[in-house]
Amino acid sequence: MSTFQHIKPAGKAQFKDRYTTKAAELLQPYSEGVKGEVAIIGAPLSKPSISHSGASFAPDAIRRCLNSFTTYNIEEETDISNKSIIDFGDITMHPTSIEECHQRIYQSTKEVIEAGIAPLTVILGGDHSITTSTVKAIKETKGTVGIIQLDAHHDLRNTEDGGPTNGTPFRRLIEEGNVKGEHLIQIGIRNYANAKAYHDYAFEQGVTVYTMKDVRQRPITELIQSALAHLDPKVDTIYLSVDMDVLDQAYAPGCPAIGPGGMDPDTLSEAVQEAIRHPKVQTMDIVEIDPTLDIRDMTSRIASLLIVNTLI
């Protein structure tokens, strides 16, 4: 086929501007000895979701949407074409056992962190149930973990009613002794999205809760700085968990639990960028995108942009 001037392999016959590099071109498959600025790994699990969810398709959608962005940041006048995103691929999920899926996520996250190929590792969910497994792996690898959770929901539901669902990850982390309540900071919690019992539980456990009212009244960078200052002297590493339903439904139609009254994309981006500047923020996840519900990949594009912005 290479003997033909204008024929390329299927899926490769695309326009290429000689001066433009797309962010997707920064992806490099993992190989032993390779180093990069950011590492990514997909955790395509959505079986434990309380509501219907195709979040298992999100890792591929987020990678694909990297093609939506060039490597040039016009505001910073910075080109990141010399940076690299090391892609470990996706964790193979068990077809029927949620517990085995969570175990595989734990084991794989631990292996990726121990490989030490990038200062920041991003886990692409999947639903929020993956976070119990990833944080457990971080604790065993790096020590005491603090968490900044950007989310509309507490995700502190009981496990008696539904088991290890995507509504339970932070309660499970607390009850299993992997995270102290005082080491969990929640930002973006929304009205009419949580039960009073779980709000009470958060305060009983010493969780710091910033609602969307706080986000509206105070600069998001100030809230993040406050969270970092609270966690820094108490923990060895800080985990950033980004549930995309923290965004208002106008911006994130691909979230299974959409709702009004959430953040806008610029606020979320500022929060993530402010957090990852701190040297203890070494791991983050992006969860709760269902590409089958999304409109023109609106939600996945925002997730991809969050990754691109980690390279500035």
Side-chain angles (χ1 to χ4, degrees):
M1 189 172 289
S2 60
T3 60
F4 300 105
Q5 183 177 359
H6 300 295
I7 301 176
K8 296 182 180 180
K12 302 295 183 181
Q14 300 170 347
F15 172 76
K16 173 64 178 173
D17 183 295
R18 69 186 68 187
Y19 298 114
T20 301
T21 303
K22 292 297 184 73
E25 297 177 58
L26 305 182
L27 289 171
Q28 295 183 28
Y30 168 75
S31 60
E32 191 171 350
V34 69
K35 297 285 185 179
E37 283 71 32
V38 176
I40 64 172
I41 181 169
L45 177 65
S46 54
K47 287 184 177 69
S49 182
I50 293 170
S51 56
H52 169 78
S53 175
S56 57
F57 300 112
D60 282 347
I62 295 169
R63 289 185 182 96
R64 184 179 68 252
C65 286
L66 288 170
N67 275 308
S68 302
F69 305 101
T70 72
T71 58
Y72 184 63
N73 183 313
I74 196 167
E75 295 176 358
E76 301 290 336
E77 296 187 356
T78 300
D79 197 309
I80 58 171
S81 58
N82 62 334
K83 305 293 181 69
S84 59
I85 303 170
I86 308 304
D87 191 349
F88 279 85
D90 293 338
I91 303 164
T92 304
M93 295 293 117
H94 191 280
T96 59
S97 172
I98 291 172
E99 289 76 11
E100 175 61 21
C101 290
H102 286 156
Q103 175 62 26
R104 293 182 185 187
I105 293 168
Y106 155 75
Q107 179 181 341
S108 301
T109 302
K110 192 172 182 180
E111 291 169 348
V112 166
I113 297 301
E114 289 175 342
I117 60 92
L120 178 67
T121 300
V122 182
I123 301 104
L124 306 177
D127 67 33
H128 221 159
S129 74
I130 71 167
T131 304
T132 306
S133 301
T134 56
V135 171
K136 179 183 176 183
I138 301 304
K139 179 197 173 190
E140 295 184 7
T141 307
K142 294 181 176 290
T144 306
V145 183
I147 300 174
I148 298 175
Q149 173 193 353
L150 298 165
D151 202 331
H153 309 94
H154 288 300
D155 286 353
L156 294 169
R157 289 177 185 263
N158 74 84
T159 56
E160 288 82 4
D161 288 336
T165 70
N166 63 336
T168 66
F170 299 101
R171 188 176 193 126
R172 289 160 56 213
L173 284 168
I174 292 171
E175 292 185 347
E176 292 170 12
N178 291 310
V179 170
K180 292 182 179 180
E182 66 185 270
H183 296 165
L184 173 59
I185 315 288
Q186 300 184 326
I187 302 175
I189 303 301
R190 280 213 293 272
N191 284 335
Y192 308 113
N194 301 273
K196 181 180 184 298
Y198 301 129
H199 191 60
D200 293 343
Y201 179 85
F203 283 101
E204 289 166 6
Q205 296 297 320
V207 177
T208 300
V209 177
Y210 293 113
T211 66
M212 275 305 302
K213 182 178 181 180
D214 296 309
V215 174
R216 289 191 298 270
Q217 293 181 343
R218 297 172 60 184
I220 191 64
T221 52
E222 181 182 304
L223 295 179
I224 295 294
Q225 289 166 4
S226 177
L228 292 169
H230 174 83
L231 294 173
D232 186 23
K234 301 177 181 179
V235 301
D236 299 309
T237 188
I238 298 172
Y239 185 100
L240 180 62
S241 187
V242 182
D243 187 325
M244 295 295 286
D245 68 27
V246 75
L247 292 168
D248 190 272
Q249 62 185 5
Y251 307 106
C255 290
I258 62 171
M263 288 186 193
D264 62 76
D266 287 344
T267 300
L268 177 58
S269 184
E270 283 184 49
V272 172
Q273 287 182 271
E274 185 67 28
I276 64 171
R277 290 190 184 102
H278 194 284
K280 285 189 178 180
V281 179
Q282 301 160 335
T283 321
M284 66 179 282
D285 64 36
I286 302 174
V287 297
E288 296 295 344
I289 299 174
D290 181 351
T292 69
L293 300 175
D294 215 355
I295 300 171
R296 297 196 66 191
D297 292 322
M298 286 173 60
T299 319
S300 294
R301 287 173 194 256
I302 297 172
S304 296
L305 185 59
L306 295 179
I307 296 172
V308 173
N309 280 334
T310 66
L311 297 169
I312 298 174

